[in-house]
C-alpha cells in the first residue's frame, strides 16, 4: 500500500502535481486542534454480501494509506448485520483481496457481529431514555407515514407507548416470541425532520435466520446505521471514511453517539469511484455471475479484485491508479483508459519480454540448411538491464503473425510483402520470394530467403528495413491458448438503457475472444500461473489458472497501444 509518497510521473516523465486529498486536510486540522490527540485510526467496513471490486480498492487504499501516512492504525471490520445476504465465501474472498491489495490490519480483524450484545444493550439504554420504541406497523405502513422530501412524516400510533412496555416488547423480540416482520425497534427522533434519515429510523428488525458467525443466537439484527457508528466507537476509530451517499446519514451517526454519550469518531464522506464501461454495484455484479453472463466472480472481465488479479493486473498498479485519481467530494467517472495506462506503465517496467505468435503464418526459409538450428540472444527487458538475455532457438521454418504479411500492400504498410525485405527480431533479414496458396486461394505459407550476414538483426552494409517482426521457430514452438478481453459493456455508462430494458442489454458480445492455438517461444514452457509477460508487439499477458501441465492458457492483461496517454499528450 502507499506507505510513502508516490512519485507522480507520467510515462513521458513530465511531473504532474500530487492529487489533492481533502481527507488529509481534515486530519491535519484535527491534529492541530488535538481532537484525537494526534491519533489516526481508520477501518475498511465491507458487507460480506459479494466480492470486492475496484471501487472498494479506492476505499481500502484511502483508509489504509491514510493510517500509514499518519503512523496510525487500520482495522478490517465486516459489517455482517444481514444474515439473509451474507456468506462465509464472501468473507474469505474479502480477506484475501484486502491482503492482496496490501492492506494490513495486523491483529485487528473484527466483525460487527462481535458487538451485537453491546449494541443491544445500547438499544435498551435508548428505550430507557424514551428515545426508542417498538413499532407494530408493517413496512408499508411505516413508509406511508414517513412523508416525503417536501412533506413532513406522521407519528406512528405506537410512538408514545410507555418505556416499560417498550422494554418488555423489545426483550420479547430478542427472545424470538414474534415472527419476522411483525415489529421493529425505531429511534424516537423527529418525524418532521427535513432529513428523512432522522424520521424515526428503524434500529432492529426481526430475522429468524442463521448468521455465519453467531448462528441462531440472535433473531433480531441491527440496521446498518445503528450498527455502524457504534462499531466505529467501540474500535475507537478516529476517522470513519465512507462514500458520499452517507452524507445525509451523518446527523444520525452523530445523534446516536451523542445520545449514548460514547466516544465520538468523525465521519467523512468522499466520492465513490466510477469507471467507464464498468459496473460497480455488487447487486448487479451478482446478477452477472448468477445468470451466467460471466464465468464467476473471478472472470477476468469482471471489475472485481479477484477478476482483475486473475486477468493479471498487478496490485501495485491498482494502488498507483488509486493514488492518481485522488480523493474528492465531487462525483465523477474515471476513464477505463487511465486504469489501463497504470497497468501498462507498471508492466512495461517489470514484465519480461517474450515472442508469441497469436495468428500464425508459416514461413519457410528456402536457403537455410535443413535440420539446422541456432540460438539467438534476446533481451528480456529493455527497461531493466538486470533482467538479462535469453536464448531463442531459430530454424528453417518459423511462424510470423498473419497480419504482418500482405500480398498487395497499400502505401502505409511497411511489413512483409512479396519481394520485400524485413527483419526477424534478434535473427536475420528475410526477403519474401513466393506466396503459397491452397485450393481456395488462401495463403498457407510463404517462402523467403534469409541473409546469413545479418545475424543478430543488422546488416553489415548498413542496409535498412522498415519493419521488425516477431516470430517463433516452428520446430521449437509451444502451443498455448490465448484469451483476449474487451470491455464487458459496450456503453461508457452500462446503466444507460431504453425504458424497460436493463443493463444486460449493454453487455458486449465480443468481450471474450479465445484463440485456441497460438505459438509461443519455448522459454515460456512451464510458466507459472499468475506470471506476467509482454508478448512483443502484442501486449501484456498473464498465465491463467485454467493452465494444466498439458495446456498453457494466457489472459491478455492489456494491449500495448495507450490511447489514453495519447489523448493526454494532445491535451
Ligand atoms: P452495498 O452497500 O450496496 O452492498 P457497497 O459497495 O457500498 O455496496 P460495502 O461492502 O458496504 O459495499 O462497501 C464497503 C466500503 O467500500 C464502504 O465504506 C463503501 O463506502 C466503500 N465503497 C463501495 N463502493 C465504492 C466505490 N465505488 N468507490 C469507493 N468506495 C466504495
Ligand atoms: Mg455499503
Amino acid at each position: 500500500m502507499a506507505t510513502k509518497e508516490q512519485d507522480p510521473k507520467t510515462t513521458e516523465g513530465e511531473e504532474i502535481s500530487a492529487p489533492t486529498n481533502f481527507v488529509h486536510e481534515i486530519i491535519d486540522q484535527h491534529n492541530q486542534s488535538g481532537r484525537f490527540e494526534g491519533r489516526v485510526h481508520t477501518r475498511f467496513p465491507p458487507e460480506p454480501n459479494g466480492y470486492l471490486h475496484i471501487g472498494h480498492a479506492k476505499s481500502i487504499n484511502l483508509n489504509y494509506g491514510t493510517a500509514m501516512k499518519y503512523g496510525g492504525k487500520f482495522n478490517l471490520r465486516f459489517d455482517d448485520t444481514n444474515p439473509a445476504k451474507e456468506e462465509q465465501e464472501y468473507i474469505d474472498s474479502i480477506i484475501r483481496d484486502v491482503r492482496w491489495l496490501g492492506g494490513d490490519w495486523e491483529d485487528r480483524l473484527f466483525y460487527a457481529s462481535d458487538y451485537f450484545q453491546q449494541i443491544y444493550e445500547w438499544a435498551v439504554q435508548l428505550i430507557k431514555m424514551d428515545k426508542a420504541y417498538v413499532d407494530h406497523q408493517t413496512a408499508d405502513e411505516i413508509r406511508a407515514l414517513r412523508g416525503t422530501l417536501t412533506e413532513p412524516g406522521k407519528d406512528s400510533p405506537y410512538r408514545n407507548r410507555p418505556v416499560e412496555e417498550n422494554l418488555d416488547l423489545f426483550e420479547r423480540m430478542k427472545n424470538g416470541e414474534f415472527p419476522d416482520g411483525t415489529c421493529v425497534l425505531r429511534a424516537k427522533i423527529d418525524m418532521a425532520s427535513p432529513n428523512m434519515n432522522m424520521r424515526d429510523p428503524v434500529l432492529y428488525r426481526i430475522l429468524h435466520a442463521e448468521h455465519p458467525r453467531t448462528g441462531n443466537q440472535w433473531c433480531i439484527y441491527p440496521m446498518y446505521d445503528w450498527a455502524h457508528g457504534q462499531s466505529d466507537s467501540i474500535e475507537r476509530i478516529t476517522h470513519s471514511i465512507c462514500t458520499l451517499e452517507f452524507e445525509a446519514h451523518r446527523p444520525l451517526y452523530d445523534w446516536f453517539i451523542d445520545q449514548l454519550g460514547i466516544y465520538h469518531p468523525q465521519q467523512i464522506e468522499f466520492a465513490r469511484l466510477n469507471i467507464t464501461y464498468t459496473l460497480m454495484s455488487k447487486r448487479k455484479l451478482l446478477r452477472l455471475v448468477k445468470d451466467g453472463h460471466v464465468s464467476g466472480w473471478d472472470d477476468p472481465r469482471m471489475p472485481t479484485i479477484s477478476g482483475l488479479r486473475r486477468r493479471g493486473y498487478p496490485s501495485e498498479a491498482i494502488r498507483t491508479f488509486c493514488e492518481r485519481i485522488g480523493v474528492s467530494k465531487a462525483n465523477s467517472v474515471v476513464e477505463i483508459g487511465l486504469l489501463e495506462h497504470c497497468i501498462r506503465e507498471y508492466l512495461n517496467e517489470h514484465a519480461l519480454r517474450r515472442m508469441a505468435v497469436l495468428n500464425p503464418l508459416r514461413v519457410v526459409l528456402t536457403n537455410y540448411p535443413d535440420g539446422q538450428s541456432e540460438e539467438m540472444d534476446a533481451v528480456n527487458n529493455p527497461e531493466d538491464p538486470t533482467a538479462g538475455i535469453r536464448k531463442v532457438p531459430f530454424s528453417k521454418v518459423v511462424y510470423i503473425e498473419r497480419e504482418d504479411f500482405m500480398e498487395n500492400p497499400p502505401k502505409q504498410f511497411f511489413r512483409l510483402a512479396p519481394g520485400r525485405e524485413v527483419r526477424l527480431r534478434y535473427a536475420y533479414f528475410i526477403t519474401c520470394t513466393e506466396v503459397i496458396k491452397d485450393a481456395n486461394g488462401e495463403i498457407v505459407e510463404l517462402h523467403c530467403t534469409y541473409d546469413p550476414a545479418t545475424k543478430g538483426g543488422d546488416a553489415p552494409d548498413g542496409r535498412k528495413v522498415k519493419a521488425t517482426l516477431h516470430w517463433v521457430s516452428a520446430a521449437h514452438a509451444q502451443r498455448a491458448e490465448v484469451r483476449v478481453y474487451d470491455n464487458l459493456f459496450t456503453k461508457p455508462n452500462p446503466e444507460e438503457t431504453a425504458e424497460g430494458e436493463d443493463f444486460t442489454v449493454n453487455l458486449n458480445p465480443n468481450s471474450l475472444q479465445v484463440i485456441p492455438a497460438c505459438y509461443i517461444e519455448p522459454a515460456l514452457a512451464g510458466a507459472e500461473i499468475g506470471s506476467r509477460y509482454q508478448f512483443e508487439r502484442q501486449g501484456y499477458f498473464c498465465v491463467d489458472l485454467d493452465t494444466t501441465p498439458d495446456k498453457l492458457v494466457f489472459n491478455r492483461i492489456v494491449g500495448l497501444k495507450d490511447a489514453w496517454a495519447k489523448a493526454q499528450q494532445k491535451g
Side-chain angles (χ1 to χ4, degrees):
M1 194 72 24
T3 49
K4 52 181 188 215
E5 294 291 312
Q6 220 112 32
D7 183 9
K9 275 190 180 134
T10 67
T11 36
E12 291 77 51
E14 131 216 7
E15 299 274 340
I16 55 171
S17 59
T20 58
N21 187 327
F22 76 94
V23 173
H24 295 167
E25 284 164 18
I26 294 174
I27 294 176
D28 290 339
Q29 284 163 19
H30 286 157
N31 283 346
Q32 267 171 22
S33 71
R35 163 130 180 229
F36 296 106
E37 289 115 25
R39 237 166 26 88
V40 173
H41 197 151
T42 61
R43 85 286 170 267
F44 175 64
E47 185 183 356
N49 62 350
Y51 279 59
L52 297 184
H53 52 60
I54 179 93
H56 294 116
K58 175 176 176 181
S59 176
I60 294 164
N61 193 65
L62 175 58
N63 278 292
Y64 181 71
T66 297
M68 289 306 104
K69 177 179 160 82
Y70 291 94
K73 289 180 176 158
F74 166 80
N75 295 359
L76 175 58
R77 182 204 315 142
F78 285 100
D79 218 319
D80 56 345
T81 51
N82 182 3
K85 288 192 175 158
E86 296 159 5
E87 290 174 24
Q88 189 61 39
E89 178 196 345
Y90 299 141
I91 293 178
D92 296 340
S93 76
I94 290 169
I95 288 176
R96 194 179 333 123
D97 290 349
V98 177
R99 192 170 282 144
W100 183 72
L101 286 167
D104 183 3
W105 55 88
E106 298 174 308
D107 57 352
R108 291 178 307 279
L109 170 58
F110 299 125
Y111 295 83
S113 57
D114 296 340
Y115 314 135
F116 279 174
Q117 181 62 33
Q118 174 67 77
I119 291 171
Y120 172 79
E121 285 167 21
W122 277 331
V124 171
Q125 184 183 332
L126 280 190
I127 297 173
K128 286 181 178 161
M129 294 163 70
D130 200 16
K131 297 284 184 188
Y133 61 98
V134 174
D135 194 339
H136 290 284
Q137 293 182 103
T138 63
D140 284 342
E141 287 165 345
I142 290 179
R143 204 171 302 119
L145 290 192
R146 215 171 156 226
T148 63
L149 283 175
T150 49
E151 267 175 72
K154 294 199 184 77
D155 287 359
S156 159
Y158 303 96
R159 195 174 200 263
N160 292 314
R161 63 186 356 158
V163 167
E164 287 310 317
E165 199 177 315
N166 281 317
L167 283 173
D168 175 58
L169 285 168
F170 185 49
E171 187 167 354
R172 289 165 62 194
M173 275 172 70
K174 182 192 77 155
N175 292 342
E177 289 187 31
F178 308 120
D180 290 2
T182 45
C183 50
V184 293
L185 184 73
R186 295 178 74 178
K188 195 170 181 176
I189 310 181
D190 178 7
M191 288 306 290
S193 171
N195 182 338
M196 301 283 284
N197 295 305
M198 301 299 274
R199 294 184 188 172
D200 292 9
V202 172
L203 305 187
Y204 274 98
R205 69 259 165 80
I206 300 172
L207 204 58
H208 291 270
E210 187 163 321
H211 186 281
R213 293 183 61 81
T214 59
N216 294 307
Q217 194 186 338
W218 295 89
C219 64
I220 54 171
Y221 288 94
M223 303 301 288
Y224 172 87
D225 280 322
W226 173 238
H228 196 82
Q230 281 49 258
S231 302
D232 283 343
S233 180
I234 290 169
E235 293 176 15
R236 298 188 72 75
I237 297 303
T238 54
H239 300 88
S240 176
I241 303 170
C242 60
T243 36
L244 275 187
E245 68 272 23
F246 293 105
E247 194 164 27
H249 295 239
R250 181 159 23 104
L252 183 57
Y253 184 104
D254 292 338
W255 188 89
F256 286 141
I257 283 175
D258 288 341
Q259 294 301 316
L260 298 171
I262 57 178
Y263 167 81
H264 202 146
Q266 175 68 52
Q267 178 179 304
I268 303 172
E269 311 85 15
F270 72 100
R272 59 197 301 127
L273 170 63
N274 299 297
I275 303 182
T276 54
Y277 299 98
T278 308
L279 269 184
M280 301 268 194
S281 147
K282 277 196 272 188
R283 192 171 53 78
K284 288 175 184 161
L285 295 177
L286 177 64
R287 261 263 331 263
L288 293 176
V289 174
K290 288 259 148 88
D291 293 355
H293 295 296
V294 294
S295 63
W297 285 100
D298 72 343
D299 186 302
R301 294 166 294 178
M302 288 281 271
T304 51
I305 302 304
S306 51
L308 299 177
R309 177 171 54 229
R310 179 169 176 181
R311 170 93 165 246
Y313 280 32
S315 59
E316 296 89 338
I318 294 176
R319 293 203 301 263
T320 303
F321 169 73
C322 291
E323 295 292 316
R324 288 259 172 96
I325 55 179
V327 179
S328 92
K329 276 261 183 202
N331 273 314
S332 66
V333 183
V334 174
E335 273 183 61
I336 184 98
L338 173 58
L339 174 59
E340 293 173 347
H341 171 79
C342 294
I343 303 301
R344 267 186 209 102
E345 198 176 59
Y346 179 88
L347 292 173
N348 179 45
E349 243 180 81
H350 295 92
L352 297 180
R353 274 53 169 174
R354 294 289 181 261
M355 292 198 283
V357 175
L358 303 193
N359 186 12
L361 175 59
R362 232 174 107 86
V363 174
V364 179
L365 303 171
T366 48
N367 60 337
Y368 194 89
D370 287 334
Q372 179 177 308
S373 73
E374 57 192 310
E375 295 200 309
M376 305 300 182
D377 286 339
V379 175
N380 279 326
N381 185 353
E383 302 289 322
D384 176 10
T386 65
I389 57 164
R390 68 187 184 284
K391 300 286 183 191
V392 185
F394 185 84
S395 63
K396 186 179 178 79
V397 182
V398 297
Y399 293 110
I400 63 165
E401 216 63 69
R402 211 159 252 280
E403 294 76 43
D404 283 336
F405 175 80
M406 277 187 95
E407 197 173 13
N408 300 299
K411 263 210 180 103
Q412 320 79 349
F413 186 90
F414 298 115
R415 291 165 275 164
L416 197 59
R420 189 181 285 174
E421 186 169 53
V422 298
R423 173 192 290 112
L424 292 182
R425 186 144 164 91
Y426 302 125
Y428 295 105
F429 283 13
I430 62 166
T431 305
C432 179
T433 52
E434 200 182 347
V435 180
I436 315 292
K437 295 181 182 173
D438 66 10
N440 302 321
E442 172 136 16
I443 298 170
V444 290
E445 189 173 293
L446 301 179
H447 286 183
C448 297
T449 55
Y450 85 111
D451 176 358
T454 58
K455 181 164 180 178
D458 282 311
D461 62 5
R463 174 166 111 247
K464 297 286 176 217
V465 288
K466 286 203 171 133
T468 299
L469 311 185
H470 63 275
W471 52 271
V472 175
S473 160
H476 305 90
Q478 308 273 316
R479 291 250 263 183
E481 175 179 310
V482 169
R483 299 172 183 172
V484 177
Y485 304 100
D486 193 0
N487 295 330
L488 191 49
F489 294 96
T490 52
K491 288 208 177 137
N493 174 8
E495 317 251 16
E496 185 192 304
T497 60
E499 275 282 310
E501 289 180 344
D502 84 349
F503 68 96
T504 55
V505 302
N506 292 327
L507 277 164
N508 178 2
N510 303 314
S511 59
L512 167 62
Q513 187 201 348
V514 177
I515 314 177
C518 303
Y519 289 109
I520 59 179
E521 63 167 273
L524 284 166
E528 269 177 48
I529 289 171
S531 55
R532 310 178 185 99
Y533 299 91
Q534 184 194 95
F535 290 176
E536 296 208 15
R537 301 175 65 229
Q538 293 287 2
Y540 296 98
F541 294 78
C542 176
V543 183
D544 188 74
L545 39 97
D546 284 345
T547 291
T548 62
D550 315 319
K551 188 175 129 192
L552 264 170
V553 179
F554 284 92
N555 297 314
R556 189 175 77 174
I557 306 167
V558 67
L560 289 179
K561 276 198 206 94
D562 195 334
W564 184 86
K566 259 214 171 107
Q568 301 301 303
Q569 271 174 332
K570 279 191 198 137

